[in-house]
Amino acid sequence: MGTNRVLVLALMFVVVGTAGVSITTWLGEWPTADGALFPRIAMMPMMGGGMMHDPRMRAMMQEMMSGRLPPGITPERLPDPNSPGATLLIRYCTQCHNLPAPAMHTAEEWPAVEARMFNRMAMMSGMGGMGGMMRRRMMPIRAPAGEEQETILAYLQGHALRPANVEALGPPDTPGLALFRQTCSQCHALPDPTLHTADEWPVVVDRMRKNMRAMDRRVITDPERDEIVGFLATEAGS
Ligand code: HEC
Ligand code: HEC
C-alpha cells in the first residue's frame, strides 16, 4: 500500500473520530420517533474505551501498515522469546504494525529506526489537543519508559542482521554481485552471504520475494532470483 493511501486512511481515522464525537453529542439530543437514543448507541462500540482496543480496529490499523512490515514473524519465532527484550518488543511494537524481526536490521541500523518509533509512540501517547483526543478516543498508544527502551534496543542489537563486508565480496564483475547489492539493500543493510549455507539461501531469498510483495517493492523475476541465489551459493557459509 502506498504512503498516500496510508495517509488518507490515517486522516479518515481522525475525521471519523472527530465527526463521531460531534454527531454523537448532537444526535444524542434528538431522540428518534420511538424515543430511543439510536445514534448514540450505534456509535458506542466505535467510541467507547478507545478504538484500538477493538480487535477489528487493530486489525485494520495493522493492515494499513502492512506495506511496512510483512506478516509472519510470530512471537514464538523470536530469538530468546521469553526474555524481557522479546516481551517488551511484543508489547510495544505490535501496536501499529506486524511484529518486527530483530534480524531485519543490523546493530548499526537499529538505533535510528528505534528512535523514529519511540518518538512516534511518545507523540501519540502524550499529545494534548487533537492528539489527546486521538489517544483517548481512537488509539491509546503506550510508549515504553527509558529503561524499557534500552532493553528493547539491546535485544534488537543482540539479534541483529550481520552486514556484508562489501570489499570482500569479490571483483565488481562477479556474476550476480551487482544484482545482489542492488536488490538486497533496499530494506536493510546488505546481508553477509556467510549467514546461510548454499542450501538455505534459496529458501531465504524466496521469503524475501514475499517480503517485497508485502512491502510494496518490485518483486524480482525468476531469472533475477536464480542469479542472486547463484551468487550467494558461491559465497555461502558452511
Ligand atoms: C505508533 C505506531 C508505531 C509503533 C508503536 C511502532 N511503529 Fe514501527 N512503524 C510505524 C510506521 C507508521 C511505520 C512506517 C513509516 C516508517 O518507516 O517510519 C513503521 C515502520 C517500521 C519498520 C519498517 C521501516 C524500517 O525502517 O525498517 C520497522 C522495522 C519498525 N517500524 C520497527 C518498530 C519497532 C521495533 C517498534 C517497537 C519499538 C515499532 N516499530 C513500533 C509505526 C509504529
Ligand atoms: C522488501 C524489503 C526487503 C528486501 C528487498 C529484502 N529483504 Fe531481507 N528482510 C526483510 C525483512 C522484513 C526481514 C525480517 C523478516 C524476515 O526474516 O522475513 C528481512 C530479513 C533478512 C535476513 C535475516 C533473516 C534470516 O533469515 O537470516 C536476511 C539474511 C535477509 N533478509 C536477506 C535478504 C536478501 C539476500 C535479499 C535480496 C534477495 C533481501 N533480504 C531483500 C525485508 C527485505
Side-chain angles (χ1 to χ4, degrees):
M1 185 184 290
T3 314
N4 285 343
R5 233 174 114 199
V6 171
L7 279 177
V8 167
L9 277 167
L11 270 173
M12 268 168 58
F13 272 73
V14 178
V15 172
V16 166
T18 319
V21 179
S22 16
I23 291 171
T24 319
T25 322
W26 184 71
L27 286 177
E29 290 160 12
W30 295 83
T32 49
D34 61 357
L37 292 177
F38 167 75
R40 189 188 286 279
I41 289 160
M43 284 290 179
M44 287 300 264
M46 232 165 103
M47 309 309 303
M51 288 163 114
M52 282 302 273
H53 287 331
D54 184 335
R56 285 165 307 173
M57 196 50 78
R58 181 176 285 256
M60 197 197 282
M61 185 75 178
Q62 287 182 341
E63 204 269 329
M64 252 170 70
M65 291 294 165
S66 66
R68 314 294 164 185
L69 282 174
I73 306 298
T74 52
E76 314 82 67
R77 271 184 57 211
L78 282 176
D80 216 349
N82 298 317
S83 64
T87 308
L88 292 172
L89 193 81
I90 296 162
R91 182 183 308 158
Y92 290 108
C93 306
T94 57
Q95 296 182 94
C96 304
H97 49 58
N98 291 311
L99 185 60
M104 185 182 169
H105 287 296
T106 60
E108 207 186 326
E109 289 177 306
W110 271 123
V113 177
E114 276 307 296
R116 214 164 71 234
M117 300 304 146
F118 290 148
N119 278 338
R120 209 171 251 139
M121 283 184 257
M123 231 170 70
M124 290 180 77
S125 69
M127 277 195 313
M130 180 64 97
M133 191 211 76
M134 272 179 64
R135 174 172 65 90
R136 286 190 308 276
R137 297 286 179 192
M138 298 163 68
M139 296 180 262
I141 297 285
R142 285 166 303 173
E147 217 172 279
E148 292 176 316
Q149 296 188 5
E150 281 167 31
T151 307
I152 296 174
L153 186 57
Y155 172 77
L156 290 169
Q157 290 186 307
H159 302 282
L161 180 68
R162 191 165 73 230
N165 175 0
V166 178
E167 282 89 70
L169 290 179
D173 58 353
T174 308
L177 172 56
L179 190 60
F180 165 67
R181 289 187 61 170
Q182 182 192 324
T183 307
C184 305
S185 61
Q186 294 176 82
C187 305
H188 47 64
L190 196 66
D192 184 347
T194 64
L195 271 173
H196 291 287
T197 63
D199 285 344
E200 288 166 358
W201 272 121
V203 181
V204 176
V205 171
D206 284 340
R207 200 174 71 245
M208 293 308 137
R209 283 174 109 182
K210 288 189 190 143
N211 290 343
M212 291 170 203
R213 198 166 295 122
M215 296 174 76
D216 268 354
R217 304 296 168 111
R218 186 182 75 82
V219 181
I220 47 174
T221 62
D222 287 344
E224 286 171 333
R225 175 242 186 229
D226 293 345
E227 194 180 329
I228 294 170
V229 166
F231 168 76
L232 286 169
T234 61
E235 302 272 323
S238 44

